[in-house]
């Protein structure tokens, strides 16, 4: 998967792995039918050999929820036993009141309208609205999910959001060497940043936005130039 491979709807994808009994995980842009995996969206094919995860990254304008993906949402209101959350998809998502670390019927978070939450998509299919959770269901720990306070949230392309989630995202590495900050990235094209002060937060936001079409060397140079203007 070192070479860039562009796929279009209908292309059959080679998902062969060294382990015959490995569990195959398909992300956005792919579907499986009659034992074959094919693309249902145009974009660049990506794969994670460690987790046998395959997905297609395009520059769609609207996010399509997929199970297991991290997203940034805005609370729209409370509805029954949960919150309605805008995640930028065709339908609002449901965040159950008990979908938080340590939450019980007597002890649960009280989110206000407009609150920003970092969550994981736990249910995603065409027959029902997406559902979110703010903890890891395997460990019971929040692991960074939950309400995000302070900071600043902005939108970016879906393609850039997925690249920022990579462990080798050059702009985040370059910024981290010079500016202390926190960031939460949702694959739905939303990013939350908190760098302590408005000036540093604006610098981090501008650097991330400017990095979309830059390679590693260009990203580092751009960060140095922004820091030089401070």
């Amino acid at each position: 998967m070192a070479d860039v491979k562009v796929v279009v709807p209908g292309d059959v994808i080679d998902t062969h792995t060294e382990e015959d009994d490995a569990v195959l995980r398909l992300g956005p842009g792919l579907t499986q039918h009659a034992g074959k995996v094919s693309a249902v969206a145009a974009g660049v094919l990506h794969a994670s050999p460690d987790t046998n995860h395959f997905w297609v990254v395009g520059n769609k304008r609207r996010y399509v929820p997929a199970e297991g993906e991290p997203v940034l949402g805005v609370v729209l209101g409370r509805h029954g036993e949960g919150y309605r959350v805008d995640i930028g998809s065709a339908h609002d998502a449901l965040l159950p009141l008990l979908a938080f670390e340590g939450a019980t019927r007597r002890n649960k978070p009280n989110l206000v309208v407009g609150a920003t939450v970092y969550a994981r998509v736990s249910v995603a299919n065409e027959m029902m609205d997406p559902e979110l959770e703010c903890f890891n269901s395997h460990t019971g720990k929040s692991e960074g999910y939950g309400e995000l306070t302070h900071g600043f949230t902005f939108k970016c392309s879906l393609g850039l959001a997925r690249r920022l989630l990579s462990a080798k995202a050059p702009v985040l590495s370059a910024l981290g060497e010079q500016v202390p900050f926190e960031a939460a990235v949702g694959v739905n094209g939303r990013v939350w940043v908190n760098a302590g002060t408005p000036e540093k937060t604006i610098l981090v936001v501008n650097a991330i936005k400017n990095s979309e079409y830059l390679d590693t060397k260009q990203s580092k140079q751009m960060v140095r130039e922004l820091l030089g203007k401070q």
Side-chain angles (χ1 to χ4, degrees):
M1 294 304 299
D3 297 330
V4 174
K5 182 176 181 180
V6 177
V7 297
V8 296
D11 285 355
V12 176
I13 309 302
D14 179 12
T15 57
H16 176 73
T17 61
E18 295 181 358
E19 300 179 15
D20 295 333
D21 59 346
V23 177
L24 189 64
R25 298 178 57 205
L26 300 182
L30 297 175
T31 188
Q32 187 172 23
H33 180 68
K36 293 184 178 180
V37 175
S38 58
V40 294
V44 177
L45 179 66
H46 289 256
S48 175
D50 296 335
T51 59
N52 295 319
H53 187 194
F54 295 80
W55 70 98
V56 174
V57 174
N59 225 6
K60 298 178 296 183
R61 292 183 177 274
R62 170 167 284 178
Y63 171 65
V64 178
E67 188 173 328
E69 293 186 334
V71 294
L72 273 170
V74 177
V75 175
L76 300 176
R78 184 164 172 172
H79 180 70
E81 291 298 311
Y83 297 96
R84 287 190 301 108
V85 181
D86 168 32
I87 58 173
S89 60
H91 302 283
D92 296 336
L94 171 65
L95 176 59
L97 295 175
L98 300 180
F100 294 82
E101 179 184 355
T104 65
R105 294 195 176 277
R106 291 187 176 184
N107 178 29
K108 49 186 178 289
N110 183 25
L111 303 178
V112 300
V113 173
T116 300
V117 293
Y118 192 43
R120 172 183 172 275
V121 178
S122 57
V123 176
N125 61 61
E126 298 178 354
M127 305 303 295
M128 58 191 297
D129 292 341
E131 190 169 311
L132 310 176
E133 59 186 14
C134 285
F135 71 108
N136 186 320
S137 57
H138 299 293
T139 64
K141 302 297 183 180
S142 63
E143 299 185 2
Y145 294 119
E147 182 180 8
L148 299 176
T149 57
H150 310 297
F152 177 74
T153 301
F154 66 97
K155 295 180 180 180
C156 67
S157 70
L158 302 184
L160 175 58
R162 288 191 178 276
R163 290 195 294 276
L164 291 174
L165 284 168
S166 167
K168 299 180 180 179
V171 66
L172 297 183
S173 298
L175 284 167
E177 294 174 358
Q178 303 293 332
V179 182
F181 71 96
E182 297 176 288
V185 181
V187 294
N188 56 334
R190 297 177 183 177
V191 183
W192 173 86
V193 170
N194 182 12
T197 66
E199 294 78 13
K200 290 183 179 179
T201 298
I202 292 173
L203 184 149
V204 173
V205 171
N206 287 337
I208 292 175
K209 287 184 174 180
N210 294 343
S211 71
E212 179 152 14
Y213 302 108
L214 303 181
D215 59 24
T216 300
K217 183 177 180 180
Q218 292 170 330
S219 294
K220 292 182 177 180
Q221 178 62 30
M222 178 266 296
V223 170
R224 286 196 294 268
E225 292 177 356
L226 287 177
L227 288 170
K229 296 178 180 179
Q230 294 293 301

